[in-house]
Amino acid sequence: MDKVKVEQLKIQMQQWLNEAEEFINDIPPVQLYTAVGVVLSTLILLLIIRLFKRTTSNTIVLTGLSGSGKTYLFYQLRDGSAHQGTVTSMEPNEGSFILHSEEDKKGKLKPVHVVDVPGHSRLRPKLDEFLPQAAGVVFVVDSVEFLPNCRPASEYLYEILTKASVVKKKVPVLLLCNKVDKVTAHTAEFIRKQLEKEIDKLRTSRTAVSDADISNEYTLGVPGEPFAFSQCHNRVIVAEASGLTGEISQLEKFIRENVKP
Ligand SMILES: Nc1nc2c(ncn2[C@@H]2O[C@H](COP(=O)(O)OP(=O)(O)OP(=O)(O)O)[C@@H](O)[C@H]2O)c(=O)[nH]1
Ligand SMILES: [Mg+2]
């Protein structure tokens, strides 16, 4: 009984196949090629759109040592005030918003996705979650308490600048010298030079180690030359800010350069 049914189904299928073949044969070849062409070009177009979408990220990652002022800056960007930035953050602070200074252009602009990753060493691995989608990284430095923090800041920065997710995609990095409202704040130029010197020292010691332990994903700078940020394949620039007084125009400029409206 079953065999008969299978046989019937086979005949039915054969009939359908024949009908389909006749149908295709009836279509003039030009029409057929055009149809195939349209389908193929649509697929290619969709693929291009997908690729393009992936490269136009709107994520800006705020990073730097604990106490450098990332959370203050986050709220300045979002609300134009520095509330809630008084305690050490235990979780990344995340939000998609139109920058406070651009609120009058709401609706016309693309929101920026800002992530503030706490500087506490236990929470730093969180950075690896956000770096692959970053359109830009802001490394916040405390310009007042800079000298005692120069070494740990350089170590953290070194780690970021040698990450594959930053080097390969040439993610731009802004070294943001924060707290310039204080008269004792060091200048951005001074901080840049000190960081370069310290990274140069780190580079020498790390390359000596990394033959045995290849933990750094990429090496920094030009061998035999003193390290300078200009040697990085990605753009590394310096700027000044104050998350306390809301002097953040250079930060906003960096964001808008890398997250197209
Ligand atoms: N003078 C001055 N002080 C600031 C400024 N920004 C932050 N501070 C001070 O620095 C402290 C730390 O700022 P936060 O924004 O909480 O620091 P953070 O980088 O988020 O620190 P973690 O969350 O621990 O990684 C604040 O409590 C403020 O007292 C600034 O622009 N000027
Ligand atoms: Mg914080």
Side-chain angles (χ1 to χ4, degrees):
M1 187 66 181
D2 269 353
K3 267 191 178 175
V4 178
K5 266 193 178 172
V6 170
E7 211 48 49
Q8 271 178 348
L9 203 73
K10 264 189 183 171
I11 293 167
Q12 181 70 57
M13 293 266 265
Q14 193 62 47
Q15 258 178 8
W16 282 342
L17 265 175
N18 287 345
E19 274 171 28
E21 212 177 308
E22 269 173 39
F23 178 73
I24 289 175
N25 283 339
D26 280 350
I27 302 174
V30 181
Q31 251 181 46
L32 200 68
Y33 293 145
T34 321
V36 172
V38 167
V39 170
L40 276 181
S41 45
T42 315
L43 283 178
I44 292 170
L45 200 74
L46 285 176
L47 203 78
I48 292 173
I49 290 174
R50 236 189 106 101
L51 283 176
F52 189 67
K53 263 197 168 168
R54 226 183 263 165
T55 52
T56 55
S57 147
N58 65 339
T59 302
I60 294 290
V61 179
L62 295 178
T63 171
L65 295 183
S66 185
S68 52
K70 300 175 291 295
T71 307
Y72 265 53
L73 289 166
F74 177 91
Y75 287 112
Q76 280 290 0
L77 287 170
R78 201 187 69 178
D79 309 329
S81 64
H83 64 93
Q84 287 185 28
T86 44
V87 282
T88 295
S89 312
M90 281 304 166
E91 280 288 324
N93 226 342
E94 222 183 312
S96 278
F97 49 82
I98 300 288
L99 301 180
H100 181 76
S101 60
E102 295 176 337
E103 231 147 46
D104 50 331
K105 290 179 230 156
K106 216 172 186 167
K108 291 183 208 149
L109 295 172
K110 197 166 122 183
V112 184
H113 176 219
V114 183
V115 189
D116 151 25
V117 185
H120 192 290
S121 53
R122 243 185 328 122
L123 295 165
R124 285 192 201 166
K126 286 266 175 200
L127 197 59
D128 291 322
E129 279 174 35
F130 299 108
L131 280 184
Q133 35 165 325
V137 173
V138 180
F139 188 83
V140 184
V141 179
D142 181 339
S143 318
V144 179
E145 290 298 313
F146 171 68
L147 286 174
N149 289 317
C150 183
R151 178 82 186 196
S154 304
E155 280 173 343
Y156 194 14
L157 182 59
Y158 182 98
E159 204 186 300
I160 293 168
L161 291 177
T162 51
K163 277 196 191 292
S165 45
V166 172
V167 180
K168 269 195 182 167
K169 284 207 235 153
K170 294 192 179 172
V171 180
V173 175
L174 176 72
L175 304 177
L176 192 64
C177 305
N178 194 27
K179 310 195 184 180
V180 294
D181 52 281
K182 285 253 177 112
V183 280
T184 47
H186 292 284
T187 64
E189 266 315 288
F190 174 81
I191 291 174
R192 180 182 61 79
K193 281 191 192 134
Q194 294 302 316
L195 287 173
E196 281 179 342
K197 269 192 209 163
E198 201 60 43
I199 286 180
D200 193 55
K201 282 191 221 159
L202 285 174
R203 192 175 58 150
T204 323
S205 59
R206 301 249 164 129
T207 32
V209 183
S210 66
D211 283 342
D213 157 36
I214 314 166
S215 57
N216 294 326
E217 295 178 38
Y218 283 85
T219 49
L220 266 185
V222 180
E225 277 180 39
F227 175 73
F229 289 117
S230 57
Q231 294 160 354
C232 292
H233 294 295
N234 50 332
R235 216 157 79 92
V236 183
I237 53 171
V238 286
E240 292 180 349
S242 166
L244 186 71
T245 61
E247 238 176 277
I248 52 166
S249 57
Q250 295 178 18
L251 168 62
E252 288 170 329
K253 186 168 163 265
F254 173 81
I255 293 177
R256 272 305 170 207
E257 269 168 15
N258 296 293
V259 177
K260 293 287 170 234

